Amino acid sequence: MWQDNEVRFDISSTQIQLRLGEFAVDKLDLIEDTKGNAGDNGRMIVTNLRIIWYSMLLPRINISLGYNTFLIIDSKIIHNLQGRHTQALHILASYRNCRYEFIFTNQDTKSTRHFTSVIGIYRSYLSSKIYREIKLRSGIIHDKQLILLPQEIIHSTSQDIWNLSLEQGNIGTFIATNIRLVWFADMNYHFNVSVPYLVIASITIKNSKFGPSLVIVSTESNGGYVLGFRVTPLQKLHVLYKEILTFFQTFEKNPMFGVDYTFEHEASLQQDVNVEQYSEIQENSVEISDAFGYYFIEGLNQRKPSFSNYLGLATEKPRENTTLHSVWDLMPPN
């Protein structure tokens, strides 16, 4: 899953389409990408995983901005092209060791939805990490009962399951819900693990020094954890394996990311929040030249100036794999 973890520019219509479990929370027209496409009217779609912005004039110019890349999100007062002060959505993001800055303004000066919606949904995203991340030794058990998440339903509970994370093993309770797998020790409830289906790479039965065991492996992006559980008798192991494999496959068809947001205002949406078929976004084999350059942020004094025969004056040395000629291509024709 890349939608909430990456910053992408000028993506195809296939990547614009919402993935399973992703839904549009808000849709706003008259939104300007002030830093990269000033003066260009655009549309912003706010989903439970990312922000999508694209130009109404040229939809292949677009941005997909995942919430998990955000470093700073706030509102700031800026000067627009008309010389007026306006309140903008300001986002500082980090992806692949690079920092990017985005500024979005609403050409409807009476509306603040371009930052109130995004900030509200982002806060919901942050508060629902347990749906998307492995949690160890967390406060998920109270009085021998699992504290359920919103929309969570317990499918099965199995007693006397050994966690093989330590040499001697620990006996406890294994719970399978519609969102995650949970194990906690009977003698110490704080010794527990919560594994959302979203981070599971494989569920198998393998031989260990304790005998046949249930093995759950998380994805590489989530640490590549290997969790082993000993279940006896062997018949019970196979029954449990088939059960959680079924729950896992069912979840994959309709994943839940835990992000929920309710509008505090009573104003109607500008349009029904449905993501159209973006047939007008062309599947370009050649990407728009170095689009990220508009938004790229570097620390000070990283590149010293040197004489350029191309320009006949001193300039900063371009970034690796970039030429001065390609930098001019970033400028709009007008």
Side-chain angles (χ1 to χ4, degrees), residues 36 44 76 107 140 172 190 215 230 242 249 260 265 303:
M44 175 183 287
K76 65 187 298 186
Q107 295 177 35
I140 59 175
H190 292 289
V215 177
R230 181 170 179 260
K242 290 180 180 178
Q249 292 170 345
D260 187 24
H265 56 76
R303 300 194 305 274

Side-chain angles (χ1 to χ4, degrees), residues 191-256:
F191 183 39
N192 57 59
V193 59
S194 170
V195 187
Y197 295 127
L198 278 170
V199 307
I200 294 178
S202 66
I203 303 171
T204 57
I205 294 177
K206 292 185 177 179
N207 287 321
S208 68
K209 65 179 182 180
F210 298 97
S213 303
L214 177 68
V215 177
I216 298 170
V217 181
S218 73
T219 58
E220 288 295 328
S221 59
N222 286 276
Y225 290 101
V226 179
L227 305 173
F229 301 94
R230 181 170 179 260
V231 185
T232 55
L234 187 60
Q235 181 182 1
K236 182 179 178 181
L237 170 62
H238 286 281
V239 170
L240 180 61
Y241 166 71
K242 290 180 180 178
E243 280 184 353
I244 63 175
L245 195 60
T246 300
F247 301 150
F248 176 54
Q249 292 170 345
T250 301
F251 180 87
E252 283 187 316
K253 296 177 182 178
N254 186 26
M256 284 186 286

